[in-house]
Amino acid sequence: MKILSTRIHGVMDYFMGIILIASPWLFGFATGGAEMVIPIVLGVGALLYSIFTDYELGLVRSIPMRTHLMLDVVSGIFLAASPWLFGFSDVVSTPHLVLGILEIGAGLMTSRIPTGCRTC
């Protein structure tokens, strides 16, 4: 059994999307470079695939939860590694690393079956 329900994960998804988009301004790295663009793009992506996920907080419900969780883990790995992949670790790395690890953890600790799902 996983620690997080899909309902809790859904709340975290929308919150994480907003935090990722706002992070350059919240953490002071709104410089226009890759360090700024990457979390914004990943945040918009997280909001979009959350809207389309087949779980309690999805609006369109066309992406399976298993796919959603895989996207979370892959985007978390990319976010955490991005300061070194794109060479801006000397400018900023902590927000990318911490938020990336949180995304990976959420993806790995969430149930794949939405609460109350009778056909899953």
Side-chain angles (χ1 to χ4, degrees):
M1 181 174 174
K2 301 285 183 157
I3 296 171
L4 297 173
S5 71
T6 54
R7 182 178 302 276
I8 297 295
H9 186 98
V11 172
M12 291 170 58
D13 280 336
Y14 290 105
F15 183 70
M16 179 63 84
I18 292 166
I19 291 296
L20 284 169
I21 292 166
S23 66
W25 295 275
L26 289 174
F27 303 116
F29 59 91
T31 60
E35 64 272 16
M36 177 181 170
V37 173
I38 290 168
I40 292 172
V41 169
L42 291 177
V44 169
L47 291 175
L48 286 174
Y49 68 77
S50 296
I51 289 169
F52 285 92
T53 296
D54 186 14
Y55 66 165
E56 298 88 346
L57 297 179
L59 300 176
V60 177
R61 297 186 180 199
S62 60
I63 297 174
M65 192 64 198
R66 184 179 299 259
T67 302
H68 173 106
L69 295 174
M70 181 198 63
L71 288 169
D72 281 346
V73 171
V74 170
S75 67
I77 291 168
F78 179 74
L79 181 63
S82 67
W84 295 275
L85 289 174
F86 294 93
F88 59 82
S89 62
D90 57 331
V91 177
V92 64
S93 62
T94 303
H96 297 74
L97 184 60
V98 170
L99 293 173
I101 290 170
L102 288 173
E103 252 192 292
I104 295 164
L108 295 175
M109 293 189 296
T110 299
S111 172
R112 292 184 179 124
I113 301 170
T115 307
C117 183
R118 293 185 180 101
T119 61
C120 301

